[in-house]
Amino acid sequence: MSRTPHHPTRDQIELPMVLDCLSDPIRLAIVYQLAQQERVSSELRCSDFSALSGKSNLAYHFAKLRECGLMQTRIAGTNRFMRLRREDLEARFPGLLDAVIKSAAKDADRLPLVSGCDLIEVDRK
Amino acid sequence: MSRTPHHPTRDQIELPMVLDCLSDPIRLAIVYQLAQQERVSSELRCSDFSALSGKSNLAYHFAKLRECGLMQTRIAGTNRFMRLRREDLEARFPGLLDAVIKSAAKDADRLPLVSGCDLIEVDRK
DNA sequence: TCGATAGTTCAATCAATCTTGAACAAATGG
DNA sequence: CCATTTGTTCAAGATTGATTGAACTATCGA
């Protein structure tokens, strides 16, 4: 098993892959939840997303989000801490991530997985 | 055969469907080409996209673009005129379509189907 | 060292997607 | 009225995608 999961460089981030990644309701909810939590902390653990799906299915979606350059994973002990690659995405596709997140927020009532995200409270550490 | 193809109402446009539609290279190129041509005319015919794929495959992608609310089709004789539903999309997801189109423009050299679009000249009518 | 915890990887299944070509429908123009 | 043009629809195939549970790896705490 690789010690550190593979991440594309900023330059390797591709638009169709990013859009495809964001088009899945579970992955959109993951990104949205990360974005919502950013004002508190820039990172969340895998288990913070357990409301969205089962462990192995989440691992599958996390891998997709990493491979397309939307997310970065930092390993710390048995935990994986995820954060959005905001700067890289803004450099590659200015305004895109914000527009998607705002659109998801606007439509939260239609996106059940997204609307559940706001309720999560982070009070650890 | 239905006289007028089905189009969702503005309110029925869904974010995941829009993102998924835009994640396909051929559909992204169609949208990009429509956007580029907008300063000349807001409409293009199906055959204007023949460089992107074969007829039946294009019809498949046109249907997808219509069903997700990105495009509108107007029938005139044997021609179908397509245009972007800019106002509806802006109302539903402000800034999203522009961000995608600008991202595609920025990456045109990496998106072969997109980069070919700028060359098309409209001198009919 | 021994469990318990946190995630990943694998294999299998099921569904969705893209692509192609052939057949079809509708309007145009001679 | 017939051939042409324009575009859709259908059926088939190949590919990709999502989901599940079981097995696995690695780390931490007692």
Side-chain angles (χ1 to χ4, degrees):
Chain A
M1 186 188 295
S2 58
R3 262 352 317 288
T4 302
H6 172 259
H7 295 87
T9 66
R10 170 184 292 190
D11 191 63
Q12 288 170 341
I13 300 176
E14 305 276 359
L15 182 59
M17 286 186 66
V18 168
L19 294 174
D20 184 54
C21 238
L22 292 169
S23 73
D24 181 274
I26 290 183
R27 291 192 294 259
L28 182 60
I30 292 169
V31 167
Y32 182 79
Q33 188 166 336
L34 279 168
Q36 291 306 107
Q37 232 63 31
E38 267 175 344
R39 49 195 82 166
V40 179
S41 78
S42 63
E43 293 180 319
L44 284 175
R45 299 180 309 182
C46 296
S47 57
D48 291 322
F49 303 92
S50 57
L52 298 175
S53 187
K55 279 202 317 180
S56 65
N57 191 227
L58 282 178
Y60 165 76
H61 288 297
F62 291 148
K64 286 248 161 187
L65 285 161
R66 273 195 305 268
E67 284 159 18
C68 85
L70 273 165
M71 250 178 37
Q72 198 167 25
T73 301
R74 177 177 66 88
I75 298 182
T78 74
N79 292 313
R80 264 80 165 169
F81 286 95
M82 330 291 243
R83 71 165 221 267
L84 285 178
R85 293 179 62 179
R86 273 211 176 268
E87 290 177 16
D88 290 328
L89 289 160
E90 189 61 21
R92 288 285 285 120
F93 310 121
L96 180 61
L97 185 60
D98 272 339
V100 171
I101 290 169
K102 279 184 187 132
S103 298
K106 190 161 177 282
D107 258 30
D109 50 333
R110 299 206 198 175
L111 304 166
L113 295 180
V114 160
S115 64
C117 293
D118 303 287
L119 309 173
I120 290 176
E121 293 166 17
V122 178
D123 42 21
R124 71 174 63 85
K125 263 205 184 140
Chain B
M1 186 188 296
S2 56
R3 260 358 315 290
T4 301
H6 171 258
H7 296 86
T9 65
R10 170 184 292 191
D11 192 63
Q12 289 170 341
I13 300 176
E14 304 276 359
L15 181 59
M17 286 186 67
V18 168
L19 294 173
D20 184 54
C21 237
L22 291 169
S23 73
D24 181 274
I26 289 183
R27 292 192 293 260
L28 182 61
I30 292 170
V31 167
Y32 181 79
Q33 188 165 335
L34 279 168
Q36 291 307 107
Q37 232 64 31
E38 266 175 346
R39 47 195 85 167
V40 179
S41 77
S42 64
E43 293 181 320
L44 284 174
R45 299 179 309 181
C46 295
S47 57
D48 291 321
F49 303 92
S50 57
L52 298 175
S53 187
K55 279 201 317 179
S56 63
N57 191 225
L58 282 179
Y60 164 75
H61 287 298
F62 291 149
K64 286 250 160 187
L65 286 161
R66 273 194 306 268
E67 285 159 17
C68 85
L70 274 164
M71 252 178 36
Q72 198 168 24
T73 301
R74 178 177 65 87
I75 299 181
T78 74
N79 291 314
R80 265 80 166 171
F81 286 94
M82 330 292 242
R83 70 163 220 266
L84 285 179
R85 293 179 63 179
R86 271 209 178 269
E87 290 177 17
D88 290 327
L89 288 161
E90 189 60 22
R92 289 285 286 121
F93 310 121
L96 180 62
L97 185 60
D98 273 338
V100 172
I101 289 169
K102 280 183 187 136
S103 297
K106 190 161 177 283
D107 258 32
D109 50 334
R110 300 206 198 175
L111 305 165
L113 295 180
V114 160
S115 63
C117 294
D118 304 287
L119 310 172
I120 290 176
E121 292 166 18
V122 178
D123 41 22
R124 73 174 59 86
K125 267 208 184 138

